[in-house]
Amino acid sequence: MKRILSAAQTTAPHADAIRRLASHPWQRLHVPGHSGKAENAPGVASLVGEHALQLDFPMLFSGIDQNTWILNNPGRKTPLLEAQELAAELWGASRVWFITNGASGGNHIATNVVRGLGREFIVQRSVHSSVIDGITHVGLTPHFVYGSVDTGLGASHGVTPEQIETALQTHPQAAAVYLVSPSYFGAIADIAAIADIAHSHNVPLIVDEAWGSHLGLHPELPLNAVQLGADLVISSTHKSVGSLTQTGMIQLGHGPHAQALESLVDRVVRSYQSTSTSALLLASLDEARRNIAVNGEKQIGAALAGAARIRKYIKEDWRFRDATPDVQGMPDAFAYDPLKIAIDTRGAGITGTQLQYELIRDHAIYCELATPAALLLLIGAASPPDVDRFIKALESLPPSDEEPERLLAMPDKLESVMPLDEAFFAPNELVSWEEAAGRISADSLAAYPPGVPNVLPGERLTPEAIMYLRGTAAAESGYVRGASDPALDTFRVVAHDQEILG
Ligand SMILES: Cc1ncc(COP(=O)(O)O)c(C=O)c1O
């Protein structure tokens, strides 16, 4: 059903207020120190242009967000509040907060919100490492639910309603349910059913929708999490909707569980926000929202058509396989994101990683992610791709008869022997990788891509996990987030005398 949006969606109150402010001939005796002039910061100006410097105000600047605005516009909300209300309307949330430290910052905020509800919660194990950092920082006790894994493609997906029901029955003291949907490869969990289950146990559902900020914005896209009943949603708006890198949103759902969170979320957002939040970053959220509201039907339609053409080509070229059915076939997958295209490269005798490299080297085409088995494309929701260029590049790929590199086996579940926060903050030492097996990790170690921690603080390292992480670190495009030593020749472990065995 097409939603009727207010006429104000064609405006961008925060962005327009910043423009007006910047066009005034101020003598700027305030932060930032470049004072909006290229001559004061020529290198920066050559990067972003003088206009960006002129727009670069800290958020609490009195002209638009605080005192002067309210004095000059009595009874009117600040432009930022108006911009956030328009975003709430477009995404279907009851309230939205703009954030500028990405969905990572959003996860830190949301884990803090969980701490306001209790210490224990149900959480998908394959969350992004920022959730694990949040758990560690505020000392939560997670009860993990293990999402499905596609070992063939090397992809982690989500959890099912049945798993959440069982987890809530097993841990009746849990204060919230926290999951990731869509997965990196685009599997969307049954959010409506999981929200019902969470609410029947009287707890809110929090969804990290970092990869789904475009969902619900076009009739051919699946609905987004707030529209399906989630109470709190973290959205990485920059990932697909077109705002500047690092910008995101926290969205509040509807109904009593969401409303009960509102003042807590508001306080936590404020406590995490920089006092110098960039007005430019916030304005980019406002403009991205306006663009989707005004042009979304056409632009997202074109992006979807482009994605469909790429899929069609992949299906017709014997060397490749469209892995969408694998994503759709996962037990947790209720729907999938058509703007993610997973290309299985194994038939072409080439790894996804090699293909990614050749596309960069020979065609200046940069793709989102590669595993030894697949190449993953992300089509920006408002960015219809140049399909012909991509297809031409695939067509010109030289034949390969190389033995494809084997997919590194993901390590099995590790034994947790110490609470995450205790292990992270405990006295620790660096040991060589040969000595690390059997020791308790002090770090959260996440192979990137996709950034899901394979080892948590407090878990006992196994030879298999050590080899997996070292293999990832050695790969061309891999790195391990959280590692003190990028090559993983050493591991940071809890000091011997601190270990609590068994
Ligand atoms: C599921 C998930 N959540 C959160 C994030 C962090 O997003 P950001 O890069 O916007 O901080 C990512 C990043 O890849 C992610 O995959």
Side-chain angles (χ1 to χ4, degrees):
M1 196 178 64
K2 200 167 156 125
R3 286 185 301 133
I4 309 289
L5 298 172
S6 64
Q9 288 289 344
T10 57
T11 67
H14 183 73
D16 287 341
I18 292 287
R19 280 192 196 93
R20 275 196 303 276
L21 186 68
S23 65
H24 212 74
W26 302 110
Q27 180 184 6
R28 289 173 68 158
L29 301 174
H30 60 84
V31 294
H34 58 65
S35 301
K37 292 207 170 95
E39 69 207 51
N40 299 335
V44 182
S46 75
L47 274 177
V48 298
E50 186 168 59
H51 189 53
L53 294 185
Q54 287 163 358
L55 294 167
D56 185 24
F57 290 102
M59 179 197 132
L60 293 181
F61 191 75
S62 61
I64 61 157
D65 288 315
Q66 298 289 331
N67 313 328
T68 318
W69 174 271
I70 293 162
L71 280 179
N72 294 336
N73 301 272
R76 219 182 131 188
K77 289 175 194 133
T78 65
L80 182 61
L81 285 177
E82 285 184 0
Q84 291 181 156
E85 281 185 8
L86 288 169
E89 182 188 47
L90 183 68
W91 270 270
S94 68
R95 184 166 174 189
V96 154
W97 291 262
F98 288 177
I99 53 174
T100 54
N101 195 20
S104 303
N107 280 323
H108 299 156
I109 289 167
T111 41
N112 225 283
V113 168
V114 174
R115 171 66 186 83
L117 306 175
R119 289 264 181 201
E120 298 180 38
F121 74 133
I122 308 294
V123 57
Q124 182 176 323
R125 172 60 179 81
S126 50
V127 281
H128 185 252
S129 55
S130 54
V131 179
I132 300 301
D133 294 338
I135 292 173
T136 307
H137 299 163
V138 295
L140 295 173
T141 302
H143 297 297
F144 287 121
V145 178
Y146 286 75
S148 51
V149 174
D150 182 333
T151 48
L153 290 180
S156 288
H157 295 292
V159 295
T160 63
E162 294 73 26
Q163 285 179 287
I164 297 300
E165 176 64 52
T166 307
L168 283 165
Q169 282 179 18
T170 314
H171 304 286
Q173 62 287 25
V177 173
Y178 202 125
L179 22 123
V180 180
S181 176
S183 66
Y184 206 167
F185 277 63
I188 300 173
D190 190 350
I191 297 298
I194 295 174
D196 282 350
I197 290 167
H199 297 158
S200 74
H201 288 265
N202 210 20
V203 296
L205 171 63
I206 302 174
V207 178
D208 176 353
E209 199 173 47
W211 292 110
S213 55
H214 55 294
L215 298 183
L217 300 181
H218 188 278
E220 286 172 40
L221 286 172
L223 294 181
N224 64 30
V226 273
Q227 292 167 3
L228 290 167
D231 300 296
L232 195 65
V233 172
I234 298 103
S235 180
S236 199
T237 321
H238 69 91
K239 287 199 195 311
S240 63
V241 170
S243 55
L244 289 175
T245 293
Q246 229 175 287
T247 54
M249 292 182 196
I250 304 261
Q251 302 167 349
L252 191 70
H254 300 271
H257 290 95
Q259 296 316 312
L261 295 178
E262 182 171 356
S263 71
L264 177 59
V265 177
D266 197 42
R267 286 168 59 215
V268 176
V269 168
R270 231 185 320 239
S271 71
Y272 268 83
Q273 205 167 36
S274 161
T275 48
S276 315
T277 302
S278 157
L280 191 53
L281 291 184
L282 298 175
S284 83
L285 283 164
D286 200 20
E287 282 294 3
R289 187 270 317 147
R290 166 161 57 184
N291 181 49
I292 293 291
V294 175
N295 306 313
E297 179 122 13
K298 193 161 141 254
Q299 281 182 321
I300 299 177
L304 286 164
R309 265 192 70 209
I310 294 176
R311 274 202 172 79
K312 183 167 178 292
Y313 170 79
I314 297 301
K315 285 195 184 112
E316 285 164 1
D317 186 328
W318 64 268
R319 298 168 302 167
F320 302 113
R321 192 177 68 86
D322 170 19
T324 306
D326 302 25
V327 176
Q328 287 173 301
M330 285 287 130
D332 58 290
F334 182 74
Y336 82 102
D337 175 4
L339 294 179
K340 281 280 179 64
I341 304 175
I343 304 174
D344 184 340
T345 59
R346 287 169 288 185
I350 184 172
T351 62
T353 325
Q354 279 168 303
L355 177 58
Q356 183 184 47
Y357 176 68
E358 289 187 18
L359 288 172
I360 293 171
R361 188 194 57 199
D362 301 338
H363 302 277
I365 294 177
Y366 220 105
C367 299
E368 172 62 26
L369 164 99
T371 72
L375 183 70
L376 185 70
L377 316 184
L378 178 152
I379 311 293
S383 313
D386 181 345
V387 177
D388 292 336
R389 175 172 169 179
F390 184 69
I391 290 178
K392 222 163 129 195
L394 287 190
E395 279 171 347
S396 68
L397 205 63
S400 170
D401 52 6
E402 277 176 42
E403 180 67 18
E405 180 191 336
R406 283 170 58 84
L407 196 63
L408 286 169
M410 290 204 216
D412 281 342
K413 188 173 162 181
L414 302 183
E415 183 195 10
S416 175
V417 287
M418 212 175 187
L420 274 89
D421 53 335
E422 279 182 31
F424 183 86
F425 293 114
N428 54 65
E429 57 189 329
L430 277 177
V431 295
S432 74
W433 68 271
E434 292 100 329
E435 295 168 295
R439 300 294 301 272
I440 301 172
S441 178
D443 284 335
S444 163
L445 301 173
Y448 238 94
V452 172
N454 309 95
V455 174
L456 300 184
E459 287 184 343
R460 204 180 283 291
L461 290 159
T462 59
E464 193 193 14
I466 292 167
M467 293 324 286
Y468 178 78
L469 291 166
R470 279 175 55 77
T472 301
E476 195 124 21
S477 59
Y479 102 104
V480 176
R481 179 166 192 254
S484 316
D485 163 11
L488 286 170
D489 289 334
T490 56
F491 283 73
R492 189 171 295 283
V493 296
V494 172
H496 248 317
D497 57 357
Q498 303 291 316
E499 289 195 7
I500 300 170
L501 301 175

